[in-house]
Amino acid sequence: MPADSFVRSFRESSPYIHRFRGQTFVINFGGNAIADGSIRGLAHDIALLNSLGINVVLVHGAGPQIDAALQVHGLQTQRVNGKRITSPEAMQVLREAVGGARLVVEAALSEGQMGSPMAHAGLQVVSGNFIIAQPLGILDGVDYQSTGQVRRVANEAMERHLAGDEIVLLSPIGVSPTGTLFNIRAEEVAVAAAIALGAAKLVFYMDEDGVLDGNGQLLRQLTSSEIPGLLERQNISADAREHLLSAGAACARGVERVHLISRHVDGALLRELFTRDGLGTLISRDSFEHMRMATVADIPGILALIRPLEEKGILVKRSRERLEMEADHFVVMERDGKIIGCAAVYPYPDQGMAEVACLAVDNRYRRQGRGERLMAFCENWARERQLSQIFVLSTQTTHWFLERKFRQGSLEELPVPRQQLYNFQRRSQVFFQIL
């Protein structure tokens, strides 16, 4: 990587580094990452997260290891509704396979050879009886025997270890208050841990790049309310279906962000967490505050929002008739049915550009990142239309754009149609950002 690219990338990651420090991330990966050796690359990324002050909880699976051990012992198990029926004989084999998988993970996290990314990391990894289990029991006439479910998470004990800069490693086995071991799906353990710890992020490694739409294109962002519609599709993979169900359950219980990323991409975790575009699919929890494209019914709310700024000369005056004609160009931020922010985006496809205009946030909700969120929405809107740049014109908020890495440009750089509309009396300055 050229030196200037490295410096630029490192600087662009700094806002995420500051934001994530002290937060808790729960990361789930399957036994296939252990079997094919990719756990070593993941361990390097985990060491970096730990060095940045992020609390890390790892939840490993052991499916391939369990299947191989059962085959060696001549045992077979059935799966019903995605859950393995675990007989007492299978449980004896399963606990040894899971224990072996856990030791491989611990070994990868303990590497510290000079010259490797793990040098001087000195990671401290703790495992224990953090998952209290209960039997799944008999469902629809099927006795799941030693297959269980999470009854409770010992989150206070885990938090003490996390506060001591230790990484918590959870296995797909829980123990009941009677001392009985139960087989639990690793994904269920990860969801339960994320909810109990109030994790900021829950990350699932998967075989696909993320969730794909009907045309096979990666869906970069979803909200939890979109999950039921996706699950109705016939062409969604079983892997994606399980992760979406888990994401929905986690978001419904307070987890703000769930990330689905490919296990086949080296550094996928870092690219997803520390770059603006990410790598996989981000699923966010629905809230009472959200953004959407405007309709004509939103014009009164937009007018109430922008009129004070127009009177101060910050925004260009727009008539109600003009707003109604351009309503489909506006983005609104809505909170409990009230418009608290807006922006307009006008495409110039022949020049590969889009203009962002009329960016406004209600005075009571400023300085809380809402302007950045509106701008990010407009940027994504432009990217989806294959546009390469956005530009803004400003007279009184120039430093706001400069602080967000916009480049000051000239009138001549604007698309010709926009140059013809330029108001020389306002003498607005022009700023560009490459997408």
Side-chain angles (χ1 to χ4, degrees), residues 31 34 55 60 70 74 136 175 213 220 246 248 272-273 277 296 319 332 371 389 399 403 435:
I34 301 172
N55 301 321
H60 75 86
L70 289 172
L136 194 59
V175 59
D213 64 15
R220 291 285 190 181
S246 296
E272 175 68 11
L273 297 178
D277 295 335
V296 173
S319 66
V332 293
Q389 286 190 79
H399 278 267
E403 290 166 3
L435 300 177

Side-chain angles (χ1 to χ4, degrees), residues 173 289 308 402:
I173 288 182
E289 183 176 306
L402 289 172

Side-chain angles (χ1 to χ4, degrees), residues 83-319:
K83 296 182 184 295
R84 189 192 300 266
I85 299 176
T86 311
S87 66
E89 296 80 11
M91 190 65 204
Q92 293 291 328
V93 175
L94 184 144
R95 69 181 187 181
E96 295 176 6
V98 170
R102 176 177 59 78
L103 290 173
V104 173
V105 176
E106 289 184 356
L109 293 168
S110 301
E111 181 187 338
Q113 294 180 355
M114 296 301 296
S116 81
M118 299 289 287
H120 308 296
L123 298 182
Q124 297 297 311
V125 183
V126 60
S127 301
N129 56 340
F130 300 117
I131 303 299
I132 292 82
Q134 63 186 28
L136 194 59
I138 300 173
L139 300 176
D140 297 324
V142 177
D143 186 355
Y144 286 86
Q145 303 182 56
S146 292
T147 296
Q149 59 188 343
V150 178
R151 176 178 178 180
R152 181 170 60 84
V153 176
N155 58 293
E156 292 182 357
M158 292 170 64
E159 287 166 353
R160 285 196 296 271
H161 288 288
L162 293 172
D165 200 30
E166 295 176 314
I167 290 175
V168 174
L169 177 61
L170 303 179
S171 298
I173 288 182
V175 59
S176 75
T178 63
T180 305
L181 296 177
F182 288 95
N183 172 28
I184 307 175
R185 289 180 61 247
E187 196 157 324
E188 294 181 20
V189 172
V191 171
I195 293 170
L197 292 168
K201 292 184 182 294
L202 171 59
V203 181
F204 290 115
Y205 276 87
M206 58 189 298
D207 284 323
E208 299 174 8
D209 293 334
V211 179
L212 308 180
D213 64 15
N215 298 317
Q217 299 297 310
L218 178 66
L219 293 170
R220 291 285 190 181
Q221 291 186 327
L222 302 170
T223 59
S224 56
S225 62
E226 297 176 81
I227 292 176
L230 288 169
L231 293 174
E232 292 177 359
R233 287 187 1 218
Q234 298 298 315
N235 62 341
I236 192 169
S237 69
D239 192 24
R241 182 178 297 276
E242 289 301 318
H243 290 315
L244 284 171
L245 287 169
S246 296
C251 289
R253 297 285 300 279
V255 178
E256 293 285 348
R257 300 284 187 271
V258 179
H259 299 259
L260 309 183
I261 59 176
S262 171
R263 73 179 186 88
H264 300 292
V265 178
D266 184 36
L269 182 64
L270 302 182
R271 291 175 60 183
E272 175 68 11
L273 297 178
F274 295 102
T275 64
R276 182 171 59 183
D277 295 335
L279 182 79
T281 298
L282 166 62
I283 303 169
S284 57
R285 184 166 65 95
D286 292 288
S287 67
F288 58 95
E289 183 176 306
H290 64 283
M291 286 181 289
R292 57 176 173 79
M293 298 306 294
T295 67
V296 173
D298 297 313
I299 298 304
I302 294 174
L303 277 169
L305 184 66
I306 66 176
R307 281 295 183 250
L309 298 175
E310 291 177 348
E311 292 171 0
K312 294 178 180 178
I314 297 174
L315 295 179
V316 176
K317 289 187 177 181
R318 291 170 169 81
S319 66

